[in-house]
Amino acid sequence: MKLLHKDIEKDNAGQVTLMPEEAEDMWHTYNLLQIGDSLMASTIRKVQTESSTGSVGSSRVRTTLCLCVDTIDFDSQACQLRVKGTNIQENQYVKMGAYHTIELELNRKFTLAKKIWDSVVLDRIEQACDPTQKADVAAVVMQEGLANLVLVTPAMTLLRAKVEVTIPRKRRGSCTQHEKALDRFYEAVMQGILRHINFDVVKCILVASPGFVKDQFMSYLFREAVRQDSKILLENRPKFMLVHSSSGHKYSLKEILCDPAVTARLSDTKAAGEVKALEDFYKMLKHEPDRAFYGLAHVEKASEALAIDILLISDKLFRHQDVATRSRYVRLVDNVRDNGGTVRIFSSLHVSGEQLTQLSGVAAILRFPIADLSEPEDDSSSDEE
């Protein structure tokens, strides 16, 4: 994402002009937009024209519209973002108040205006425009006959390819059908890696499977790389890392990123930091439950007591359409930061973010134990009985 113009201050009105440069930037934009914002962007509108003879024709024209945002629709697989709203600026083709849907495009600038820019939105712009925050981890999660090729970016987990090949069982006295099918499977995975992984950006490629599937695949991959003289694979051999996983499904990615060896290798990536924070929370919940809270009410009380060391919060909560509820989450984040705590905002498109969402989307690791938060609730329930 490229920042072209910025005229904003925290907790004030203002506008910013941005240009999305890659698919992931659409996810960042989706997290910046809220209903009631003003969006100015280039779009195509079907216009009816009447000639001097009275005949009516229609043509498609490119024009710039300024909409008051009414509906936001994001397709996470295609990374496409559509924004529907009413026109709020005079235009030669579109009347004031008329509805229109803008599909934001890559490499076309847009201007976003808000009445209030809070700290979470400003952080999101900073993260989106940081050139170091790119897809630096790829993973091939596989088992016999199934492989998922995934890119782990700082903001989301993108499934780039899924390979499925039926592998016949080994027969007594003959394994040729089984071996041929395996070779077909490995070849398809190899082509997926070459097609979808940008080796200039990706620092590490995790190859994970149960048993020896990963080892057999790696043997095949580099045997073929030598045979085909594939320089790109041979030069990037040190980037490949073998890891154990319980299956070849996408959800196994969480256990892969929890592996201490992987964590050490990926120490400089945001995704690994999120996974470690969630792992630390679960350990604390198991061994010292008075220092691990989840649920907004409990976490807010811990924040009031200046007890929060690390706040774990899902970006899904900041997309809440109720302004009062959203500002409550923003206030919580600001309070924790002001009191010297660490805030980790999890992407709801990451495996770790999905897991945090199951815990209400907000959790905290505390500096010191607080034991008596649940007692008032217990008293009220006993009174009702």
Side-chain angles (χ1 to χ4, degrees):
M1 186 92 82
K2 193 180 284 182
L3 179 64
L4 302 178
H5 175 72
K6 186 178 177 183
D7 180 21
I8 49 179
E9 287 179 39
K10 188 185 166 188
D11 297 332
N12 282 318
Q15 63 181 42
V16 64
T17 303
L18 297 163
M19 186 190 287
E21 296 179 306
E22 55 189 27
E24 192 186 346
D25 292 339
M26 292 301 180
W27 170 247
H28 289 300
T29 308
Y30 174 55
N31 282 283
L32 292 173
L33 284 166
Q34 288 170 266
I35 289 169
D37 290 349
S38 301
L39 177 72
M40 183 187 282
S42 173
T43 184
I44 291 173
R45 177 85 175 185
K46 192 175 181 181
V47 178
Q48 285 195 334
T49 51
E50 191 174 335
S51 68
S52 55
T53 58
S55 61
V56 177
S58 67
S59 60
R60 292 164 68 82
V61 295
R62 183 169 281 283
T63 182
T64 300
L65 290 182
C66 186
L67 303 183
C68 177
V69 177
D70 186 51
T71 311
I72 307 156
D73 179 37
F74 179 69
D75 179 350
S76 61
Q77 289 304 310
C79 281
Q80 289 180 331
L81 182 60
R82 293 181 191 86
V83 182
K84 184 180 179 184
T86 50
N87 185 32
I88 55 172
Q89 270 189 19
E90 282 290 348
N91 184 284
Q92 68 181 99
Y93 303 112
V94 187
K95 292 176 186 173
M96 287 278 284
Y99 271 93
H100 184 78
T101 301
I102 293 177
E103 183 171 322
L104 291 178
E105 300 171 58
L106 294 180
N107 300 311
R108 280 194 186 275
K109 66 179 182 178
F110 65 87
T111 301
L112 176 64
K114 288 177 180 284
K115 289 171 185 168
I116 291 179
W117 291 85
D118 57 52
S119 59
V120 172
V121 176
L122 294 174
D123 283 352
R124 173 68 73 168
I125 291 175
E126 203 172 299
Q127 182 191 338
C129 299
D130 182 354
T132 62
Q133 303 265 5
K134 300 298 175 191
D136 45 10
V137 183
V140 183
V141 191
M142 63 197 308
Q143 63 191 47
E144 270 197 10
L146 171 69
N148 285 288
L149 181 60
V150 179
L151 286 181
V152 185
T153 76
M156 61 206 290
T157 305
L158 288 168
L159 179 65
R160 301 311 294 161
K162 186 174 185 178
V163 179
E164 289 182 282
V165 174
T166 306
I167 311 284
R169 290 184 179 180
K170 290 181 182 177
R171 303 267 174 105
R172 188 178 295 174
S174 173
C175 298
T176 52
Q177 292 299 316
H178 176 81
E179 285 167 3
K180 279 181 183 175
L182 270 181
D183 283 352
R184 270 202 321 276
F185 171 58
Y186 293 151
E187 175 64 24
V189 178
M190 175 178 160
Q191 292 307 321
I193 288 173
L194 290 170
R195 192 176 302 120
H196 296 290
I197 292 178
N198 179 354
F199 287 92
D200 294 333
V201 176
V202 170
K203 297 174 187 170
C204 178
I205 302 141
L206 305 171
V207 181
S209 78
F212 296 102
V213 179
K214 57 185 180 297
D215 305 271
Q216 292 165 357
F217 169 67
M218 288 298 286
S219 301
Y220 174 89
L221 182 69
F222 288 106
R223 191 170 65 244
E224 283 297 300
V226 170
R227 189 178 69 80
Q228 297 175 18
D229 193 25
S230 173
K231 288 180 181 174
I232 192 162
L233 284 174
L234 295 171
E235 286 169 5
N236 288 283
R237 187 168 189 162
K239 291 183 179 178
F240 285 84
M241 181 179 182
L242 297 181
V243 198
H244 173 78
S245 71
S246 56
S247 79
H249 295 280
K250 185 186 163 187
Y251 62 76
S252 295
L253 193 62
K254 181 192 163 289
E255 66 181 79
I256 296 163
L257 292 172
C258 285
D259 187 307
V262 175
T263 312
R265 178 89 176 254
L266 309 182
S267 57
D268 58 340
T269 70
K270 182 175 180 283
E274 288 179 2
V275 170
K276 186 179 183 305
L278 195 61
E279 195 71 12
D280 290 347
F281 173 79
Y282 277 118
K283 281 180 189 169
M284 194 66 80
L285 193 63
K286 185 178 178 183
H287 300 296
E288 289 185 72
D290 289 345
R291 284 185 59 201
F293 282 14
Y294 61 92
L296 181 58
H298 280 188
V299 172
E300 278 183 327
K301 285 179 182 173
S303 176
E304 286 165 18
L306 311 184
I308 296 180
D309 185 27
I310 302 173
L311 177 70
L312 291 65
I313 189 163
S314 169
D315 62 9
K316 192 175 184 179
L317 302 178
F318 301 114
R319 294 197 293 275
H320 206 289
Q321 298 308 337
D322 180 37
V323 176
T325 307
R326 188 184 186 282
S327 58
R328 197 173 160 190
Y329 292 120
V330 173
R331 203 160 49 243
L332 175 64
V333 168
D334 288 343
N335 287 346
V336 171
R337 282 185 177 145
D338 291 346
N339 294 314
T342 304
V343 176
R344 287 209 170 267
I345 297 177
F346 283 60
S347 169
S348 53
L349 289 187
H350 265 317
V351 191
S352 54
E354 289 169 11
Q355 201 168 5
L356 182 61
T357 303
Q358 292 168 2
L359 285 172
S360 78
V362 59
I365 299 171
L366 308 189
R367 296 187 175 104
F368 48 83
I370 300 179
D372 56 353
L373 280 189
S374 57
E375 285 176 13
E377 293 176 11
D378 293 341
D379 293 346
S380 61
S381 61
S382 61
D383 290 345
E384 286 167 5
E385 289 170 18

